[in-house]
């Protein structure tokens, strides 16, 4: 009976002697001699072993496909499907908001044994809604959510339901995310820090829109694999940016939504992703499962549960996205305006933005992830003027999904981002590139809390352009596409759309959605197909009597070679297709006649021009500068130390988390009880003061330290040396800056009055400036003559208009030494 149900058992029984003889357990007399006589080189035995193994793998592969189909049907029947690997509870349902959406806020419950510190900054992950269901940011322990939970942060997840609410728009989704973040802030009144928010892929630009409209609810923002500048790209790469032009614009999007009776099937977006890499879609991914069928089934099914979890988008939503972002590129140029008249300008974002992208990503390459910086700002000074901190990190090889799915990326990059969010939050405004390096050993080993170290390097726009690779001539082509898209969409809405809307019914839309090739592929190989009934029985029989072939089997080697050749052929076809598509795009939309027809030929302006600053913004900057000028000589030791720290580190080629760790530890010593938000304000204020007038800011250091003892000043210098030493030996340039700081601090040391000079009654009183900086008003601490001493202080030259340049050398070699008494004046003694 077994032979009838599984022919493989019969073949196995016939050749059992060969197999047992090979394992040294021959039970058939003369089988070895007989085999050697008819098959002296073993090719027959190798061929049969390979045939049997391939047949067994085929049965097991088909059974996995059957399980995949069952899993798909079960997943799609759920009302709230997701692939999160953590238990959750719903806190806010977006359908109950004033403008209902299909989004919801979930609290992530940690696994048993994981301790959460409610005092830590909340961590929020927003998943992309690009055709797949939610949960990819936390579907395994080594994920964005897993990393944050392991670090002890309270975590939240913003997901969505399979179908949109009637009339739901992109603006409604953005407002829902803002409402969710406000609720998270209310849940943590004990911490003054705003939540760190992570946006993957399409969720990244949604978060940036929300942060531009409501910047006060965001802490640091991490956008992973998120496209923001859709016209950007390098020739020979990023073929998706040509899709809109080759389709004739967004009319095809409207057509697809109308066929769906006002709903857009996300399976079409998934199909676009799969077309990018046909070798992986049609062969490599499936062959990898077939080749490793005994070990890969679980991992394959886990991923397919998300990849096949197709959702539906509203027609208005997808049309807004394609018109304004994919084709119009209006987000990165501040051209979007909400229905109530608010302009969405990414320069309004006040939180630090971390851009994580990869050179191996063909969906969101670095130019599209970083091009918005080039679109909005003239240079780094423009970024600083807008008080914005932008950090970018580029992986060399990982693909688009690997940015927020790969376990190795989560254990490395995402772990470092999470651990250093406070450091990122206090970085002075500017543009930085961060790199993750292996942690070292040595005398500073206690400063390495993890296996890797996050290092920040200031960058300029020349260095940024090496990644963005902006070509102004391409802008005219994409602007031409945008004009033609508007024309074609208008023609479609006039002539074809009314007929489709009149004939399409909800039942017909559902039938078309079910017949989509991708959806159909899952359903055909499931238990609903009667032909799959024998598969589980045959698969169980194979598993009980499995005969895997060894890797050195000659036919297995031929199989691997054939697979590699097929992949190479498909890749060559893909490269040829992409090259021809790019050439056609450049030729068609670069035609002067076509550009003239849409009113763009000869137009001198750059079509991706940077938005100008509004008059009120310019007045605000001027007012802010005046406020900062008034604060140059205000403050005390804390301001002086922070100003010195920023000045010296500003000359360093790079800094890392070790500096911040020591500074954070010593922060309590300098000013106990200061909150991180206040610390951040101090850092930014001192940074802007240095940026505004470096010479005056440095020459005011003795004024800020007036009245402090020699021991105090020695302690401040020791503190600075301790912080600088955290990241290794100072470079020559930073060492020179530190010597300047030492000389300026020496000028603030108390001076000894001349013996021939009479002491007045005023001088005999307790000098006001001798009070600790933390207990006297800032105005008093800022005045060097508050003590009314008769001795001449080093700041007298400033009061006479003789400013001392911060770059000048000290008067003598001895006076430059922090331990030298030369040039110092003792504090006046009381009589």
């Amino acid at each position: 009976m077994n032979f009838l149900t599984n022919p493989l058992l019969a073949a196995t029984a016939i050749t059992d002697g060969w197999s047992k003889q090979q394992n040294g357990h021959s039970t058939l007399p003369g089988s070895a001699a007989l085999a050697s006589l008819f098959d002296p080189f073993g090719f027959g035995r190798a061929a049969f072993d390979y045939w049997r193994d391939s047949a067994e793998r085929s049965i097991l592969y088909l059974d996995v496909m059957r399980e995949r189909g069952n899993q798909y049907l079960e997943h799609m029947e759920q009302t709230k499907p997701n692939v999160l690997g953590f238990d959750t509870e719903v806190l806010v349902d977006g359908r109950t908001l004033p403008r209902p959406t299909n989004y919801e806020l979930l609290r992530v419950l940690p696994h048993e044994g994981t301790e959460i510190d409610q005092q830590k900054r909340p961590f929020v992950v927003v998943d992309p809604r690009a055709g797949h269901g939610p949960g990819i940011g936390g579907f395994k322990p080594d994920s964005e959510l897993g990393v944050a939970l392991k670090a002890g942060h309270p975590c939240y997840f913003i997901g969505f339901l399979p179908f949109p609410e009637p009339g739901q728009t992109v603006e409604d989704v953005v407002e829902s995310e803002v409402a969710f973040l406000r609720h998270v802030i209310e849940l943590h009144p004990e911490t003054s820090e705003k939540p760190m928010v992570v946006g993957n892929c399409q969720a990244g630009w949604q978060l940036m829109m929300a942060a531009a409209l409501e910047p006060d609810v965001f802490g640091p923002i991490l956008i992973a694999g998120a496209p923001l500048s859709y016209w950007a790209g390098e020739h020979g790469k990023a073929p998706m940016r040509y899709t809109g032009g080759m389709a004739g614009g967004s009319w095809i999007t409207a057509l697809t939504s109308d066929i769906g009776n006002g709903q857009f099937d996300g399976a079409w977006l998934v199909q676009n992703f799969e077309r990018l890499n046909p070798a992986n879609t049609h062969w490599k991914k499936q062959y990898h499962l077939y080749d490793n069928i005994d070990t890969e089934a679980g991992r394959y099914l886990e991923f397919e549960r998300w990849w096949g979890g197709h959702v539906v988008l509203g027609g208005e939503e997808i049309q807004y996205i394609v018109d304004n972002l994919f084709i119009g590129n209006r987000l990165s140029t501040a051209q979007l305006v909400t229905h109530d008249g608010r302009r969405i300008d990414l320069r309004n974002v006040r939180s630090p933005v971390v851009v994580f992208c990869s050179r191996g990503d063909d969906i969101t390459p670095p130019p599209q992830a970083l091009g918005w910086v080039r679109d909005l700002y003239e240079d780094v000074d423009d970024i600083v003027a807008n008080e914005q901190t932008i950090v970018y990190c580029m992986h060399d090889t990982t693909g688009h999904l690997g940015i927020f799915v790969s376990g190795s990326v989560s254990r490395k990059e995402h772990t470092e981002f999470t651990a250093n969010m406070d450091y990122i939050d206090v970085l002075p405004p500017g543009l930085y590139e961060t790199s993750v390096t292996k942690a070292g050993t040595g005398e500073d080993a206690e400063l390495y809390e993890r296996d890797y170290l996050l290092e920040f390097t200031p960058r300029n726009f020349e260095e940024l352009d090496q990644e963005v690779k902006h070509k102004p001539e391409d802008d005219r082509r994409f602007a031409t596409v945008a004009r033609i898209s508007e024309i074609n969409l208008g023609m479609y809405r006039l002539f074809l759309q009314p007929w489709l809307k009149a004939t399409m019914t909800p039942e017909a839309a559902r039938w078309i959605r079910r017949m989509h090739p991708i959806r159909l592929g899952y359903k055909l190989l499931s238990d609903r197909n009667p032909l799959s009934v024998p598969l589980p029985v045959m698969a169980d029989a194979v598993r009980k009597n499995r005969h895997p072939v060894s890797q050195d089997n000659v036919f297995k080697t031929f199989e691997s070679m054939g697979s590699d050749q097929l992949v190479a052929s498909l890749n060559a076809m893909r490269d040829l297709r992409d090259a021809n598509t790019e050439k056609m795009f450049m030729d068609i939309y670069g035609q002067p006649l076509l550009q003239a027809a849409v009113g763009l030929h000869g137009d001198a302006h750059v079509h991706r021009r940077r938005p100008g600053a509004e008059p009120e913004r310019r007045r605000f900057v001027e007012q802010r500068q005046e406020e900062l000028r008034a604060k140059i000589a205000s403050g005390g030791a804390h301001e002086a130390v922070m100003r010195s720290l920023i000045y010296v580190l500003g000359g360093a080629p790079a800094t890392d988390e070790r500096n911040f760790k020591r500074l954070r530890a010593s922060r309590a010593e300098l000013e106990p009880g200061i909150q991180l938000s206040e610390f951040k304000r101090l850092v930014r204020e001192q940074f802007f003061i240095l940026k505004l007038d470096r010479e005056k800011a440095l020459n005011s250091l003795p004024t800020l330290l007036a009245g402090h003892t020699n021991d105090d000043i020695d302690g401040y210098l020791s503190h600075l040396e301790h912080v600088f030493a955290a990241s290794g030996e100072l470079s020559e340039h930073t060492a020179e800056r530190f010597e300047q700081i030492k000389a300026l601090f020496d000028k603030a040391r108390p001076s000894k009055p001349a013996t021939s000079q009479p002491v007045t009654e005023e001088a005999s009183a307790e000098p006001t400036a001798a009070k600790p900086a933390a207990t006297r008003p800032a105005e008093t601490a800022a005045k060097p003559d508050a003590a009314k001493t008769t001795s001449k202080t080093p700041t007298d030259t400033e009061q006479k208009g003789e400013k001392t340049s911060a770059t000048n050398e000290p008067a003598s070699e001895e006076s430059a030494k922090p331990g030298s008494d030369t040039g110092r004046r003792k504090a006046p003694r009381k009589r």
Side-chain angles (χ1 to χ4, degrees):
M1 182 62 182
N2 287 335
F3 291 167
L4 295 176
T5 57
N6 192 349
L8 282 176
L9 293 180
T12 300
I14 294 173
T15 59
D16 190 52
W18 277 354
S19 300
K20 292 183 178 179
Q21 181 269 331
Q22 289 175 342
N23 294 328
H25 301 287
S26 178
T27 58
L28 297 179
S31 60
L34 188 64
S36 299
L37 179 63
F38 290 99
D39 188 20
F41 299 103
F43 286 125
R45 282 167 287 176
F48 176 78
D49 288 344
Y50 171 74
W51 171 82
R52 179 177 55 188
D53 173 68
S54 61
E56 291 176 351
R57 281 187 289 156
S58 298
I59 292 174
L60 295 176
Y61 173 83
L62 290 174
D63 190 57
V64 172
M65 293 295 101
R66 179 189 63 84
E67 292 182 31
R68 185 189 73 155
N70 294 339
Q71 177 181 268
Y72 170 80
L73 295 173
E74 179 185 352
H75 187 76
M76 297 307 295
E77 289 172 356
Q78 297 177 3
T79 56
K80 295 183 178 182
N82 68 64
V83 295
L84 284 174
F86 302 89
D87 293 332
T88 60
E89 60 176 337
V90 179
L91 297 180
V92 181
D93 190 333
R95 293 173 295 183
T96 64
L97 296 175
R99 295 168 64 180
T101 63
N102 64 331
Y103 280 70
E104 56 186 8
L105 174 66
L106 308 176
R107 188 203 308 271
V108 181
L109 306 177
H111 291 153
E112 186 176 354
T114 302
E115 296 184 2
I116 301 300
D117 185 358
Q118 296 297 328
Q119 301 293 327
K120 286 190 173 184
R121 186 196 298 266
F123 191 95
V124 182
V125 173
V126 186
D127 249 17
R129 187 158 158 254
H132 309 93
I136 195 63
F139 85 117
K140 56 185 178 180
D142 288 329
S143 59
E144 294 163 335
L145 281 176
V147 164
L149 288 170
K150 186 177 180 181
H153 292 274
C155 292
Y156 302 87
F157 182 80
I158 298 178
F160 45 85
L161 303 179
F163 292 90
E165 289 295 293
Q168 176 178 311
T169 66
V170 171
E171 290 183 25
D172 296 337
V173 172
V174 169
E175 292 295 339
S176 296
E177 292 172 351
V178 171
F180 294 155
L181 290 177
R182 292 194 186 279
H183 186 76
V184 171
I185 294 173
E186 293 173 0
L187 293 176
H188 296 271
E190 65 279 359
T191 176
S192 61
E193 306 309 321
K194 299 299 183 355
M196 177 177 180
V197 191
V198 178
N200 295 319
C201 190
Q202 299 295 336
W205 56 258
Q206 287 182 358
L207 285 180
M208 292 295 284
M209 290 175 64
L213 293 173
E214 300 290 343
D216 61 309
V217 301
F218 285 83
I221 301 172
L222 169 61
I223 50 177
L228 290 174
S229 185
Y230 297 88
W231 291 3
E234 180 182 359
H235 286 191
K237 297 181 180 179
M240 281 196 74
R241 67 177 183 148
Y242 306 121
T243 303
M246 301 312 296
S250 67
W251 71 274
I252 195 72
T253 304
L255 173 65
T256 308
S257 299
D258 292 335
I259 290 175
N261 196 39
Q263 294 183 334
F264 185 91
D265 187 1
W268 293 109
L269 297 177
V270 177
Q271 189 176 66
N272 288 338
F273 299 147
E274 291 187 340
R275 284 175 178 169
L276 286 175
N277 194 347
N280 184 71
T281 300
H282 301 302
W283 178 257
K284 194 174 179 180
K285 180 173 68 172
Q286 309 302 332
Y287 174 73
H288 182 72
L289 172 65
Y290 172 76
D291 187 35
N292 303 275
I293 193 62
D294 299 307
T295 58
E296 282 294 303
R299 186 204 61 81
Y300 178 85
L301 290 173
E302 182 182 37
F303 179 78
E304 285 294 310
R305 183 165 169 259
W306 173 75
W307 187 255
H310 309 123
V311 297
V312 175
L313 290 82
E316 285 187 65
E317 289 181 282
I318 191 64
Q319 196 67 41
Y320 179 98
I321 294 169
V322 174
D323 285 339
N324 293 300
L325 278 71
F326 296 167
I327 294 179
N329 195 45
R330 296 188 178 103
L331 176 60
S332 68
T333 51
Q335 297 180 59
L336 289 180
V337 180
T338 63
H339 71 283
D340 55 354
R342 293 177 295 167
R343 182 172 297 278
I344 302 176
D345 189 343
L346 298 185
R347 295 174 300 176
N348 293 334
V349 178
R350 299 274 72 88
S351 303
V353 179
V354 180
V355 180
F356 185 30
C357 54
S358 173
R359 296 183 178 91
D361 184 357
D362 56 355
I363 295 178
T364 307
Q368 293 190 8
L370 294 169
W372 65 278
V373 182
R374 203 68 178 81
D375 293 346
L376 286 174
Y377 301 102
E378 294 286 346
D379 48 31
V380 174
D381 289 340
D382 198 11
I383 296 177
V384 173
N386 281 274
E387 302 184 22
Q388 199 160 47
T389 303
I390 302 173
V391 180
Y392 65 92
C393 177
M394 278 184 291
H395 199 281
D396 289 328
T397 58
T398 191
H400 181 69
L401 292 178
I403 293 176
F404 41 90
V405 173
S406 172
S408 60
V409 172
S410 294
R411 288 189 295 269
K412 187 178 177 182
E413 280 83 1
H414 283 292
T415 297
E416 290 303 310
F417 294 145
T418 302
N420 288 279
M421 64 175 73
D422 286 345
Y423 186 20
I424 294 171
D425 203 11
V426 300
L427 274 176
L431 180 66
Y432 304 86
E433 181 178 6
T434 183
S435 57
V436 182
T437 57
K438 191 72 176 176
T441 58
E443 60 182 23
D444 289 331
E446 75 281 356
L447 297 175
Y448 297 98
E449 297 178 349
R450 295 163 307 281
D451 296 333
Y452 296 94
L453 184 69
L454 200 64
E455 186 177 65
F456 297 86
T457 305
R459 295 299 187 198
N460 55 40
F461 268 38
E462 288 73 20
E463 294 165 317
L464 179 67
D465 282 341
Q466 296 176 8
E467 300 297 340
V468 174
K469 304 181 188 300
H470 176 230
K471 291 181 173 56
E473 61 272 15
D474 285 352
D475 291 345
R476 195 185 308 275
R477 292 185 171 97
F478 285 102
T480 303
V481 172
R483 292 279 180 89
I484 290 178
S485 176
E486 293 173 354
I487 295 171
N488 289 343
L489 180 61
M491 299 293 285
Y492 166 78
R493 285 174 171 167
L494 178 63
F495 293 108
L496 188 57
Q497 190 178 60
W499 294 95
L500 273 177
K501 286 190 172 183
T503 57
M504 187 57 60
T505 63
E507 291 75 15
R510 281 195 294 269
W511 184 85
I512 292 174
R513 193 158 53 242
R514 289 171 182 171
M515 291 297 106
H516 191 283
I518 291 183
R519 293 179 180 270
L520 206 58
Y522 286 90
K523 295 177 182 177
L524 289 178
L525 278 172
S526 68
D527 285 342
R528 295 186 183 180
N529 186 342
L531 297 178
S532 67
V533 172
L535 278 178
V537 179
M538 296 173 66
D540 288 341
V542 169
R543 292 189 188 100
K544 292 176 182 178
N545 198 25
R546 180 81 169 94
H547 300 86
V549 73
S550 61
Q551 292 298 320
D552 59 356
N553 184 290
V554 63
F555 296 97
K556 186 68 168 64
T557 303
F558 288 152
E559 176 191 293
S560 299
M561 293 172 59
S563 174
D564 294 340
Q565 186 64 39
L566 182 58
V567 170
S569 300
L570 290 173
N571 285 338
M573 293 173 59
R574 175 203 61 195
D575 295 341
L576 180 63
R577 177 200 66 186
D578 293 345
N580 288 335
T581 299
E582 180 177 81
K583 188 176 186 306
M584 289 177 61
F585 180 93
M586 295 298 172
D587 290 344
I588 293 172
Y589 292 102
Q591 288 291 327
L593 182 61
L594 182 61
Q595 293 175 355
V598 295
L600 293 177
H601 182 65
D603 197 347
H605 77 268
V606 178
H607 301 285
R608 193 170 54 169
R609 59 185 180 273
R610 298 179 183 89
E614 294 83 356
E616 58 270 20
R617 173 65 185 173
R618 295 182 183 274
R619 287 193 294 269
F620 171 78
V621 172
E622 293 173 358
Q623 181 182 358
R624 177 67 173 153
Q625 289 176 345
E626 292 301 320
E627 292 175 355
L628 290 173
R629 285 192 179 94
K631 292 183 178 181
I632 289 179
S634 298
H638 205 178
E639 286 75 9
V641 170
M642 184 57 63
R643 192 177 300 178
S644 303
L645 183 71
I646 295 172
Y647 173 66
V648 175
L649 288 181
T655 182
D656 57 54
E657 59 185 278
R658 291 172 293 176
N659 296 114
F660 178 69
K661 183 179 178 183
R662 279 188 169 164
L663 184 62
R664 179 178 57 188
S666 58
R667 187 179 73 197
E669 301 174 7
L670 289 177
E671 191 166 335
I674 186 174
Q675 297 291 330
L676 183 63
S677 56
E678 180 63 20
F679 182 65
K680 177 181 177 181
R681 184 202 61 78
L682 175 67
V683 171
R684 289 179 172 256
E685 188 172 87
Q686 296 307 312
F687 171 83
F688 282 119
I689 286 176
L690 276 168
K691 192 78 176 176
L692 186 64
D693 194 336
R694 177 185 294 181
E695 183 177 349
K696 189 173 181 181
L698 292 176
N699 289 333
S700 297
L701 290 177
T703 304
L704 300 179
L705 294 171
H708 288 260
T709 65
N710 286 333
D711 290 340
D712 291 338
I713 294 175
D714 288 338
Y716 300 145
L717 290 173
S718 176
H719 165 72
L720 289 172
E721 288 177 345
H722 190 60
V723 173
F724 298 146
S727 55
E729 187 177 353
L730 292 178
S731 65
E732 181 179 354
H733 184 52
T734 53
E736 290 177 358
R737 289 192 171 201
F738 192 27
E739 289 300 321
Q740 291 178 239
I741 295 299
K742 290 178 181 179
L744 290 167
F745 273 49
D746 281 345
K747 290 184 178 182
R749 295 182 182 275
S751 57
K752 183 178 180 179
T755 55
S756 60
Q757 187 173 357
V759 180
T760 63
E761 289 295 323
E762 288 183 359
S764 66
E766 180 72 17
T768 307
K771 295 180 182 180
T775 59
R776 71 184 194 282
E779 293 79 3
T780 307
K783 297 178 181 179
D785 59 339
K788 301 268 182 197
T789 57
T790 57
S791 60
K792 186 177 180 180
T793 65
T795 56
D796 286 336
T797 56
E798 287 189 28
Q799 294 171 0
K800 294 178 181 180
E802 301 174 3
K803 292 185 179 180
T804 304
S805 174
T807 59
N808 291 340
E809 295 295 329
S812 66
E813 186 175 351
E814 273 188 78
S815 64
K817 300 178 182 178
S820 174
D821 290 331
T822 306
R824 299 181 188 170
R825 295 178 174 85
K826 301 295 182 182
R829 293 176 298 176
K830 290 193 295 183
R831 188 173 56 184

